Amino acid sequence: MIDASYFDGQNTRRHMVTVVIHKRVVSIRGAGLHRTIRISQLDISERLQHAPRVLRFPDGAFIEADSPELTRMLAQNSYREPWVVRWQHNWHLSLLALVCLLTALISGYQWGIPWAADMAAARVPAALARQLGEGELALLDEAMMKPSRLAVAEQARLRLMFSQLAQPRGEKTPYQILFRDSRIGPNAFAIPNGVIVMTDQMVRLAGNDLAVMGVLAHELGHLQRRHGVRALLQTLGVAALVNLWIGDISSVASMAPAFLLNQNYSRDFERESDQYAIDMLRHNRLALTPMADMFARFSDRKALQAALAQMDDTDNGENDADQEQAADDAANQGEPDPASGPDDESKSYFSSHPSDAERIARLRAADKRL
Amino acid sequence: MNLELQDIAAAPVAANPARVASKTASRVPDDTALCGVQQFSFTGTGSEYFRIWVVNLLLTILTLGIYSAWAKVRRLQYFYRNTKIAGSSFNYHGKPGAILKGRVLAVALLAAYKFSWGRSVVASLVIAALLAAIMPWLLSRAFRFKMINSSYRGLRLRFSGTVGGAYKALSLFPALLALTALFAWTVAVTFSRNAGVGVYLLSALLPLLVLAATVPAAHFFLKRYQHDNAYFGQTPFFFHARVSDFFKIYGRAVGVFFLGSLSAGVFTFLTGRMFAWLIHGTFGWLFEIIYGVLSASAFYLFLRPFIESRVQNVVWNSTALGGHQFQSAARARALVWIHASNLMLIMFTFGLYKPFATIRLVKYKVECMSLILDDSVEDFLVNQAGDNAGALGQEAGDFLDVDIAL
């Protein structure tokens, strides 16, 4: 027998009653009050540690009692809690749920989102991709580019040279090469509408037709694998995942993890495109070492800049690098990674590209196997 | 602002005399002595909610989101039933089926919008206009659903706001904004041939000014719509705040923001060289990240708690249930501390602290509130129109439920 409060559902007056449950029949008694009912006809609220439990009659009246004793009485009368409630009250099972949850989230991130984005990207209408790309190109031109100062004949020669290379596996990915004078240093971009933007500075830095071909092949890889649209879709997926996990603690705070998670995807794309460039050049029996040399030169240049910046104790060089990084991120598929340097290892989680050392090694290794 | 959290703080809107304290678990004390100030209390704990949260999340993922409706009911029941005043707790009666219907509708609307986005400008504009047009209607249904499914001591809350009222309360802001934008555009176009600085300044500042004028007003109208149309059984809620109260809060918030950025500027000026040195150090990248997160969260950490606490206080200090006055004494400083430490702990635990953080915040916001009972009443009566446990009102409420963040 336990004490409980009874409310008739018509007003807020509390009636003191005693509750007895015997042979699956609930019986309550108070001043001028006596009701009996089968357990099965009651609407029984779920068990909570610190909240009273409510047994509701079909007519809206109910009794409210502190939960431990009531729960014991219910159990004695073979009332079974819903399985979700039993699960929630069991620490071992809850921790098991946590492990399953983390597994689901991590594999969703690792495989689920990339797979879904890949599937969906193949179904994105070409018109939409073109529209996306046109907007991106306009933005790029406005913010960071000027018309190319490369001789028209030179442009035509490079275009012709690249068009004569066969795409690997007999693919026929359509593309269009545009040359631009860059305000942000050497870079190249692949844009979802099939445009490859090559900067004059990149051509100059490459200093070698083979390296230019390598860079173009890398960008073609971005196009062929639809990295632009996939990145967009994956960003949506990651945002949904982060929102599911930590909810809306704040838009700013949830942006940081989303950014880090996306950078990992971006590095995967760069590796994929590097591999595509390797495939394409080897397919045409061309050497990859010139491209590797170009990365090495680029890497040295950045190291020098960083060293200068540190010596002067002005953050000029670093600023430049940051700007390049920002521009690079904005355009999504920029070519060389400006943010690496002596502290490559520590920064790799935050970078959109794999480290120069890793990329150079891969390119050189490809040549050795030739 | 997150309506869900506000809901929980806003849900406890009813009270009655009851026992003063009961240490002995099942002794039910006498109610008759109850009068005066009754404090709201919240008995939920992070460790218990953590398990509910984990199981909810896992089942939601495994069922591809379908379980989320059941999860919502379990979550809200946890918060409602752990919120107590005058010896009794609240209860939530929402049916998962109804919530699921609402969610399917919301997802369909969102999908239609996203789908139309890339296709054609006209289609996406039409859908966006449609969404904006039905938003007040959705909102009034959502309020109604939430209230009719909340109860205290067996009596349901009730929301009697009309759809028309929702349009009046909610369309003021976008309409004014659109009008001003149109006006600014007209001015800019008219004078663009020999545009002076003044015209540019006007066309740029005007929308900002209108925004400054409409956000507090819109917030006020929404709160008034919400609180002035609510009932507990037969007893109406009264809302007697004024627009000027909201303008004061937002005005001060802008002041706080400027003062904050001023002091931040001075700090940056003084520590600039040290900052540069730290950035170039071995752990520069770590420092960079911490600094970035801190400065990016400035709004979240200071401005939001300020507005949150002041609005809660103004709203509840201006709300009465019949002759019983609510009181709220939330402090911005306490909220800043709760938000900041929650954010840090969530970051360091990769999100595992989230349920504990939620409980902490809700506990603070609920326990800031109290109800001054006018006289020793136990006589709130059910509304005879039949919206209690009866079918009529519930059907209306069951129609749909949509979570809308405001």
Side-chain angles (χ1 to χ4, degrees):
Chain A
M1 190 171 79
I2 57 166
D3 293 321
S5 313
Y6 174 84
F7 298 94
D8 61 9
Q10 300 302 306
N11 59 44
T12 50
R13 192 176 304 270
R14 179 203 295 272
H15 305 269
M16 261 60 87
V17 293
T18 57
V19 180
V20 177
I21 309 180
H22 185 61
K23 292 196 171 165
R24 317 208 73 213
V25 172
V26 180
S27 153
I28 61 166
R29 279 172 194 279
L33 191 77
H34 185 198
R35 291 189 77 163
T36 13
I37 191 169
R38 269 192 205 91
I39 284 190
S40 57
Q41 281 182 297
L42 284 170
D43 175 15
I44 301 174
S45 74
E46 288 173 2
R47 176 182 152 205
L48 297 178
Q49 273 171 2
H50 307 283
R53 224 171 156 163
V54 174
L55 309 187
R56 186 177 308 278
F57 291 86
D59 65 358
F62 64 94
I63 43 180
E64 201 180 87
D66 280 305
S67 87
E69 284 152 80
L70 187 62
T71 298
R72 207 176 313 126
M73 276 188 3
L74 285 170
Q76 279 161 7
N77 285 271
S78 59
Y79 170 77
R80 268 176 88 73
E81 309 272 354
W83 60 275
V84 175
V85 176
R86 274 180 281 144
W87 191 358
Q88 284 167 342
H89 277 270
N90 185 321
W91 264 109
H92 291 125
L93 287 179
S94 302
L95 289 178
L96 185 68
L98 180 64
V99 172
C100 295
L101 180 63
L102 290 176
T103 313
L105 287 173
I106 291 170
S107 45
Y109 168 72
Q110 196 69 35
W111 299 291
I113 292 179
W115 177 82
D118 199 8
M119 287 289 126
R123 281 169 186 74
V124 165
L128 179 59
R130 204 177 320 123
Q131 211 177 335
L132 270 174
E134 273 159 20
E136 217 171 277
L137 182 61
L139 201 73
L140 193 67
D141 269 341
E142 195 176 326
M144 321 168 195
M145 298 293 156
K146 284 181 283 192
S148 173
R149 281 184 292 189
L150 225 54
V152 179
E154 172 72 355
Q155 291 184 15
R157 190 181 67 81
L158 289 171
R159 279 201 191 97
L160 181 68
M161 188 170 176
F162 190 64
S163 69
Q164 280 167 348
L165 300 186
Q167 296 183 12
R169 296 172 287 273
E171 290 152 0
K172 297 261 182 291
T173 312
Y175 63 88
Q176 183 196 353
I177 300 170
L178 298 180
F179 289 91
R180 291 282 190 273
D181 184 30
S182 159
R183 290 183 228 164
I184 52 154
N187 223 325
F189 304 90
I191 296 170
N193 57 350
V195 169
I196 295 172
V197 175
M198 188 74 178
T199 63
D200 300 355
Q201 286 76 3
M202 193 79 207
V203 176
R204 225 170 292 139
L205 178 82
N208 175 318
D209 286 349
L210 279 184
V212 176
M213 292 304 111
V215 172
L216 287 173
H218 173 99
E219 298 306 327
L220 186 64
H222 281 314
L223 293 179
Q224 205 278 327
R225 302 293 300 125
R226 298 173 201 271
H227 285 163
V229 178
R230 276 165 70 192
L232 210 65
L233 292 169
Q234 289 185 352
T235 306
L236 287 179
V238 165
L241 211 65
V242 168
N243 189 48
L244 189 70
W245 180 236
I246 46 176
D248 57 338
I249 47 168
S250 90
S251 45
V252 177
S254 57
M255 251 154 61
F259 171 75
L260 292 184
L261 294 171
N262 274 322
Q263 293 302 75
N264 187 25
Y265 284 149
S266 167
R267 288 193 295 277
D268 285 347
F269 283 167
E270 294 305 325
R271 290 198 187 97
E272 209 175 11
S273 279
D274 277 350
Q275 189 54 48
Y276 187 91
I278 291 171
D279 290 349
M280 185 161 173
L281 263 61
R282 285 185 59 177
H283 187 71
N284 292 284
R285 309 204 173 281
L286 297 176
L288 287 142
T289 312
M291 193 179 173
D293 290 343
M294 181 199 70
F295 275 130
R297 238 173 298 140
F298 195 74
S299 180
D300 288 347
R301 208 181 77 145
K302 278 178 298 179
L304 185 69
Q305 265 179 0
L308 280 176
Q310 216 146 9
M311 253 170 16
D312 294 354
D313 197 24
T314 62
D315 45 8
N316 262 344
E318 191 76 18
N319 260 351
D320 277 353
D322 282 351
Q323 274 162 15
E324 268 183 57
Q325 171 84 74
D328 201 16
D329 288 341
N332 222 343
Q333 303 297 346
E335 186 32 42
D337 169 24
S340 43
D343 52 347
D344 230 17
E345 283 307 304
S346 60
K347 266 199 169 171
S348 72
Y349 287 109
F350 310 105
S351 168
S352 59
H353 288 62
S355 72
D356 285 346
E358 176 196 327
R359 303 176 78 179
I360 293 166
R362 244 152 61 95
L363 292 171
R364 294 233 158 97
D367 256 5
K368 284 197 192 102
R369 271 180 281 134
L370 196 64
Chain B
M1 268 164 277
N2 174 8
L3 194 68
E4 298 241 338
L5 278 186
Q6 258 184 332
D7 286 355
I8 293 151
V13 272
N16 194 344
R19 59 188 173 184
V20 179
S22 88
K23 290 275 193 278
T24 48
S26 60
R27 291 287 325 155
V28 179
D30 204 351
D31 271 357
T32 45
L34 268 173
C35 200
V37 179
Q38 293 295 319
Q39 197 76 32
F40 281 86
S41 71
F42 185 75
T43 52
T45 59
S47 63
E48 188 182 13
Y49 181 57
F50 175 78
R51 286 169 286 163
I52 293 175
W53 175 77
V54 161
V55 174
N56 274 348
L57 214 51
L58 179 65
L59 290 176
T60 299
I61 289 179
L62 291 183
T63 57
L64 302 175
I66 293 169
Y67 184 80
S68 71
W70 280 261
K72 181 182 176 178
V73 170
R74 290 217 154 86
R75 191 181 71 233
L76 285 183
Q77 282 206 341
Y78 187 77
F79 286 107
Y80 276 54
R81 287 177 53 199
N82 277 302
T83 302
K84 291 179 191 167
I85 183 170
S88 291
S89 46
F90 292 81
N91 209 342
Y92 182 73
H93 308 272
K95 297 274 177 294
I99 292 171
L100 191 63
K101 257 188 275 171
R103 298 214 152 164
V104 168
L105 180 79
V107 168
L109 285 174
L110 209 66
Y113 178 67
K114 287 270 181 221
F115 188 71
S116 67
W117 174 68
R119 301 250 152 173
S120 87
V121 182
V122 181
S124 56
L125 275 182
V126 166
I127 300 250
L130 200 73
L131 274 181
I134 63 169
M135 204 45 92
W137 176 74
L138 280 180
L139 198 73
S140 82
R141 304 310 302 218
F143 284 165
R144 187 179 278 204
F145 184 86
K146 188 182 79 195
M147 295 296 260
I148 198 68
N149 284 309
S150 309
S151 75
Y152 175 77
R153 288 191 170 209
L155 256 58
R156 301 270 179 143
L157 288 145
R158 186 161 56 92
F159 183 72
S160 69
T162 57
V163 177
Y167 276 97
K168 238 195 311 191
L170 286 176
S171 47
L172 172 95
F173 171 51
L176 258 179
L177 201 66
L179 276 178
T180 322
L182 194 70
F183 176 68
W185 180 77
T186 322
V187 169
V189 167
T190 317
F191 293 98
S192 60
R193 274 155 209 266
N194 46 2
V197 184
V199 177
Y200 281 122
L201 212 62
L202 188 69
S203 53
L205 275 182
L206 208 60
L208 267 181
L209 281 176
V210 172
L211 200 70
T214 45
V215 166
H219 200 166
F220 165 77
F221 285 121
L222 180 72
K223 281 293 158 197
R224 193 177 67 175
Y225 177 66
Q226 211 176 352
H227 282 221
D228 230 7
N229 289 309
Y231 289 81
F232 175 56
Q234 292 178 346
T235 318
F237 285 87
F238 299 111
F239 187 64
H240 48 80
R242 279 167 310 183
V243 179
S244 58
D245 297 330
F246 280 72
F247 275 106
K248 267 183 223 155
I249 294 172
Y250 279 90
R252 288 212 189 103
V254 172
V256 165
F257 182 70
F258 275 121
L259 276 182
S261 38
L262 209 67
S263 59
V266 170
F267 178 77
T268 313
F269 177 73
L270 290 177
T271 57
R273 279 190 78 83
M274 196 174 82
F275 181 68
W277 179 75
L278 279 170
I279 285 285
H280 287 297
T282 323
F283 290 102
W285 57 274
L286 183 71
F287 187 73
E288 230 174 305
I289 289 173
I290 291 173
Y291 192 81
V293 168
L294 278 185
S295 53
S297 308
F299 173 81
Y300 173 74
L301 285 181
F302 292 100
L303 218 50
R304 187 179 144 175
F306 179 81
I307 296 179
E308 210 175 350
S309 60
R310 293 299 139 93
V311 167
Q312 176 178 330
N313 290 348
V314 159
V315 164
W316 286 105
N317 288 331
S318 316
T319 300
L321 170 63
H324 317 286
Q325 176 63 45
F326 283 94
Q327 270 190 332
S328 167
R331 293 175 63 86
R333 230 172 290 170
L335 275 180
V336 166
W337 163 242
I338 291 174
H339 278 301
S341 50
N342 275 353
L343 190 63
M344 281 295 150
L345 285 165
I346 286 173
M347 263 173 39
F348 288 131
T349 56
F350 295 104
L352 285 178
Y353 188 73
K354 182 76 207 303
F356 297 87
T358 311
I359 291 287
R360 261 182 88 197
L361 183 63
V362 170
K363 191 175 171 68
Y364 179 75
K365 288 173 86 171
V366 166
E367 293 193 341
C368 284
M369 301 212 353
S370 52
L371 180 66
I372 307 169
L373 284 170
D374 191 23
D375 54 314
S376 181
V377 267
E378 253 204 333
D379 351 297
F380 289 104
L381 291 176
V382 69
N383 175 32
Q384 296 302 331
D387 58 16
N388 197 29
L392 192 83
Q394 204 163 344
E395 249 171 56
D398 264 358
F399 175 55
L400 59 84
D401 164 60
V402 184
D403 297 318
I404 299 166
L406 284 166

